[in-house]
Amino acid sequence: MDRIFSKGTLLVFSIMLVVIGCSFLLRGCNSEREVKANVFPREVELGFPVMYRDSTENVKELIWEFGNGDFSTDHKGTYTYTAPGNYKVRVKADGKAQEFVVKVVQKKKTAEKKFVRIVAPKTAYVGEGVTFIADGDATDWQWKFGQTGKVDSHEQDVVYHYDVPGNYQVRLISGNMEYPVFHNIQILSAATTRVTTPGGGGDGDIYEPLRQFLQNIVDHRGSYDKNYRGALKFLNNNERLLVVVNNSNENDFYSYCHGLHITGKQHGTYIDMAIPEIEGGKVKRLLVSQRTSN
């Protein structure tokens, strides 16, 4: 019986089988590797940053593609889109890819007006600047701080100084309000021991360090991480806490601070006030009043 295959032919087939087997083995090893990455938030208003992060182990080559021609080789960071739309964000880690879809929308319009309320501390000290914020949709503000018996200010946000210790009732009304809203504040003597750390049971000027931490982030003064963690202590260490800027723009605290760090200095941003809104013993959101020189 004639031989169908010669020794040479069998050797060639054996080598081919070995190569194919190794190829499948390598593919199997590579398929077991998982790209660990995330993009947050997946829906964002125009002008606000998107956070991206890759935590895949032992990556040699990494690239983020943001769906508009821009890219980054950093493992983590923030990116701000300049136009609304749906963007396919892709991360490649050593050739293996993972994709996300980010929706960038125009600024949302407020459907309903908010009831007006006063955001202010419950205690303060003689001679210090006490911050009062009128939170809500209204016009023609009229503040009475209970010390002069007359209208003291027509501004929405006010810094007021008390000269005499005592208990005062603050009155606020505007042109489209049927009834005023009130806030009670106790003014202590300057000789009274002040509470200067968050969670100490008092209000007054304890939030000035919080404002200063945020201003330091804007001015790139000191370590970003140190200022960020310092501010976070006033907010129950909640990085996702809602931040309301100038009664309109809303963002989470992590994104807000990154935005300050990236664009705050070049825009000449100044933080006027930063007051946590506390409800049930927990910080519900952070109210910020800020302005820019541009």
Side-chain angles (χ1 to χ4, degrees):
M1 185 176 186
D2 296 334
R3 291 185 178 181
I4 299 176
F5 300 105
S6 65
K7 291 184 179 180
T9 304
L10 290 174
L11 179 61
V12 171
F13 275 114
S14 299
I15 294 174
M16 290 178 62
L17 289 174
V18 171
V19 171
I20 294 173
C22 291
S23 176
F24 277 106
L25 181 62
L26 290 174
R27 289 183 182 180
C29 292
N30 289 334
S31 64
E32 293 176 1
R33 188 173 189 180
E34 180 183 0
V35 177
K36 298 178 181 179
N38 193 21
V39 176
F40 178 86
R42 304 290 173 83
E43 181 173 336
V44 64
E45 287 186 7
L46 185 64
F48 289 95
V50 174
M51 293 171 287
Y52 59 92
R53 178 190 294 269
D54 173 80
S55 56
T56 310
E57 298 179 354
N58 301 321
V59 175
K60 295 180 180 179
E61 295 183 1
L62 177 77
I63 185 170
W64 284 91
E65 299 171 350
F66 299 110
N68 60 355
D70 289 349
F71 65 93
S72 173
T73 57
D74 296 331
H75 280 267
K76 61 180 180 179
T78 61
Y79 182 80
T80 303
Y81 288 94
T82 58
N86 294 321
Y87 296 89
K88 182 178 290 186
V89 180
R90 178 166 56 186
V91 58
K92 292 181 180 178
D94 291 342
K96 194 170 182 62
Q98 185 175 1
E99 294 182 347
F100 311 88
V101 176
V102 174
K103 183 178 182 181
V104 181
V105 299
Q106 293 283 4
K107 182 180 178 181
K108 299 177 182 178
K109 295 182 178 179
T110 304
E112 298 180 357
K113 290 188 175 181
K114 296 186 296 184
F115 290 107
V116 174
R117 63 194 186 91
I118 298 173
V119 179
K122 295 181 180 179
T123 61
Y125 296 87
V126 169
E128 74 172 333
V130 185
T131 300
F132 294 89
I133 298 177
D135 180 35
D137 300 313
T139 57
D140 302 324
W141 306 98
Q142 292 184 13
W143 289 94
K144 288 185 177 181
F145 295 110
Q147 184 171 230
T148 64
K150 60 181 182 180
V151 175
D152 297 294
S153 176
H154 294 280
E155 301 295 326
Q156 182 172 359
D157 302 331
V158 186
V159 177
Y160 187 78
H161 297 77
Y162 284 93
D163 301 321
V164 180
N167 295 314
Y168 295 89
Q169 185 178 69
V170 180
R171 179 182 183 272
L172 172 65
I173 196 168
S174 71
N176 58 351
M177 292 172 58
E178 185 175 358
Y179 301 103
V181 292
F182 298 93
H183 176 79
N184 295 319
I185 185 170
Q186 181 184 18
I187 303 301
L188 305 175
S189 169
T192 306
T193 301
R194 300 188 178 203
V195 178
T196 56
T197 56
D203 290 309
D205 62 347
I206 66 173
Y207 297 125
E208 171 57 24
L210 169 59
R211 187 201 69 80
Q212 190 59 60
F213 281 129
L214 296 178
Q215 190 63 53
N216 289 345
I217 290 176
V218 172
D219 299 334
H220 293 192
R221 186 183 298 118
S223 165
Y224 170 82
D225 187 66
K226 183 177 181 180
N227 286 311
Y228 177 77
R229 295 299 172 188
L232 200 60
K233 289 181 180 179
F234 288 83
L235 309 174
N236 295 343
N237 291 314
N238 182 6
E239 294 185 296
R240 303 305 176 197
L241 184 75
L242 181 67
V243 181
V244 180
V245 180
N246 296 336
N247 292 318
S248 57
N249 296 334
E250 298 182 357
N251 208 344
D252 64 274
F253 184 72
Y254 178 89
S255 301
Y256 170 69
C257 288
H258 269 274
L260 285 182
H261 184 64
I262 295 171
T263 64
K265 190 173 184 179
Q266 68 188 61
H267 289 171
T269 302
Y270 183 79
I271 310 295
D272 289 307
M273 293 171 287
I275 298 181
E277 179 185 350
I278 300 176
E279 185 177 288
K282 294 184 178 180
V283 180
K284 182 180 179 182
R285 60 180 182 170
L286 176 63
L287 304 176
V288 176
S289 175
Q290 66 185 49
R291 47 193 165 90
T292 62
S293 59
N294 291 350

